[in-house]
Amino acid sequence: MTVGGSVEATDPSVEDALHREVFEEIGGKLNRAELVHLITDVFEDGVGIQHIFAARLNRMDIEARTGTEFDKPERGGYEVVRLPFTAETIRQLNLMPPELAEFTAGNIEAIKAVLDIQVRAMAEATEGKLTLGS
């Protein structure tokens, strides 16, 4: 399972919702997060969008988590397990939705790279003009 949830009315942005969910679910704080993928869900009454972020975890304190799901034993347990970030590991998990598993397994190196490059800072420094390559 990955950390996730809904954007609440009090969240100023989708990224703020991510930071709130990380704290609620694992008592975590992120160093940085980058939007890497979108998944569109079509419903009878509209469209839902899942924003997929790659992020670096700065710290985690399981005792500090506050999510309401932890008060519902019928939802099962919530054990935090650290796994290697490899395509092989991702393919062995029952990662949902399947589109997330497929995207992640197929883009391991790109996801790692996006967290190692300061894309936003570089874009701001060049006034939004980003040059790739040599």
Side-chain angles (χ1 to χ4, degrees), residues 5 8 27 47 49 52 58 75 85-86 96 99 109 134:
E8 296 180 358
V47 174
I49 301 170
I52 310 301
N58 181 28
R75 294 194 64 182
F85 189 57
T86 65
M96 299 301 278
E99 296 94 327
E109 294 307 316
S134 54

Side-chain angles (χ1 to χ4, degrees), residues 3 11 20 27-28 45 90 109 119 122:
V3 173
D11 294 321
R20 178 184 48 74
D45 60 343
I90 297 299
E109 294 307 316
V119 174
M122 188 186 331

Side-chain angles (χ1 to χ4, degrees), residues 110-128:
I111 292 168
K112 289 178 186 176
V114 80
L115 290 173
D116 291 336
I117 298 170
Q118 293 288 336
V119 174
R120 287 187 211 170
M122 188 186 331
E124 290 169 7
T126 60
E127 298 179 34

Side-chain angles (χ1 to χ4, degrees), residues 2-7 13-15 17-18 34-41 47-54 97 100 103:
T2 58
V3 173
S6 298
V7 178
S13 70
V14 173
E15 189 170 339
L18 168 70
E34 295 290 338
L35 181 66
V36 295
H37 191 58
L38 297 172
I39 296 174
T40 303
D41 299 310
V47 174
I49 301 170
Q50 297 182 51
H51 297 80
I52 310 301
F53 287 87
L100 175 58
F103 168 78

Side-chain angles (χ1 to χ4, degrees), residues 67-78:
T68 58
E69 59 269 31
F70 304 114
D71 296 330
K72 299 175 183 173
E74 68 275 9
R75 294 194 64 182
Y78 291 90

